[in-house]
Amino acid sequence: MLLSIENLTKKYNKNIVIDSINLSFKQGVNALLGVNGAGKTTLMNMLVTVLKPTSGEIILDGKNILENEKQYRNMLGFLPQNFNGYPELSAKDFMIYMGKLKNIPDKEIKIKTNELLQLVSLEDIKNKKIKTFSGGMKRRLGIAQALLNDPKILLLDEPTAGLDPKERIKFRNVIRNLGTDKIIILSTHIISDIEPIANNIVVMKKGRAFLNGSCEEILSKLQGKVWECHLTEKQISSIENFDQLGEFREKGDGGILVRCLSDVIPHPTAYKVEAKIEDIFLSYFKGYKNDKFNN
């Protein structure tokens, strides 16, 4: 199964939100990484046919998804960015309602509802109304409803928004297991959500997909350019030849551990360290001199 995007563009009047994107998604976990406003949600809404492209195509196994939109939608599971459910329904009733909308047989709906609510740790409160749920509980319910029809293509827009660290870990484990036989596309700006599980990462900025590859392939762009050094606060201003300062961490001796990006040694005490996904995000979205990162 292959989901392809060919020269996809979306405009609102003269504003280009998605700019001639070309991508391919295979089975496994595909992550769209970018800051808010990068175009991730617009792209997701076109993938679920909520929005139609201005130009270009989305193709599943050689066929435009709009040629048989109903059949394509039956293959989808979708968690939108702003998911609230129906406040007056209980979690259980909401799942049953969504199952009926997806034409799942009644007996199967009940079985899947129990299984999925247990999967997202909502089984004990399945009879409580959604309006009493926290934001994280609503996100978990949203993930459960997206899985009701055992979708072949699972689209998750900012799926971990509102989840606490423990819930995030559980979510990653669930998605990792699901990715063996589904095309999963999740959008996020939270780097820790994708690094352990993504088979493929797409870095988006201003409606364009500038990087596309495995975590290892993308990290290779920065190998040898990431440095750390222990400095005093006064010494930080003396760092030279750096393209972007990264994280600062206070040390027990009163010094500061500084991480930065540079083609050459930025300070006499600096030493090279392995690049991380956080470094990619930092360099790409806050500027990397002469756009060396894109070469």
Side-chain angles (χ1 to χ4, degrees), residues 168-179:
R168 278 201 164 94
I169 292 170
K170 184 167 185 177
F171 164 79
R172 289 198 296 264
N173 291 336
V174 169
I175 296 304
R176 181 187 288 111
N177 293 332
L178 290 172

Side-chain angles (χ1 to χ4, degrees), residues 114-252:
N114 290 331
E115 289 177 349
L116 292 170
L117 290 179
Q118 184 175 15
L119 180 69
V120 297
S121 302
L122 292 176
E123 185 182 31
D124 291 343
I125 54 172
K126 63 184 178 183
N127 292 316
K128 289 190 175 182
K129 291 186 177 182
I130 297 172
K131 68 181 181 181
T132 67
F133 284 11
S134 66
M137 290 160 68
K138 289 177 183 177
R139 296 307 287 175
R140 283 186 274 152
L141 179 60
I143 293 168
Q145 64 80 32
L147 294 170
L148 260 172
N149 58 326
D150 191 21
K152 298 298 182 185
I153 302 171
L154 181 61
L155 299 157
L156 306 169
D157 195 0
E158 299 287 353
T160 61
L163 299 186
D164 63 32
K166 183 178 179 181
E167 290 172 326
R168 278 201 164 94
I169 292 170
K170 184 167 185 177
F171 164 79
R172 289 198 296 264
N173 291 336
V174 169
I175 296 304
R176 181 187 288 111
N177 293 332
L178 290 172
T180 57
D181 64 349
K182 302 180 190 297
I183 294 175
I184 298 177
I185 305 173
L186 67 89
S187 72
T188 186
H189 62 278
I190 303 172
I191 299 165
S192 59
D193 285 347
I194 63 168
E195 189 167 7
I197 61 172
N199 304 107
N200 187 64
I201 297 173
V202 177
V203 180
M204 292 186 65
K205 183 179 181 182
K206 295 182 180 179
R208 299 180 66 190
F210 283 93
L211 283 174
N212 181 18
S214 68
C215 184
E216 292 77 14
E217 289 169 339
I218 292 179
L219 283 175
S220 68
K221 300 280 186 178
L222 285 182
Q223 294 301 349
K225 300 178 182 180
V226 185
W227 306 79
E228 285 186 355
C229 49
H230 295 85
L231 304 172
T232 64
E233 190 166 346
K234 185 177 181 180
Q235 287 176 319
I236 291 175
S237 60
S238 69
I239 298 179
E240 298 178 354
N241 301 315
F242 68 88
D243 294 305
Q244 186 65 53
L245 281 174
E247 60 185 343
F248 292 65
R249 295 202 304 272
E250 298 286 343
K251 304 299 288 183

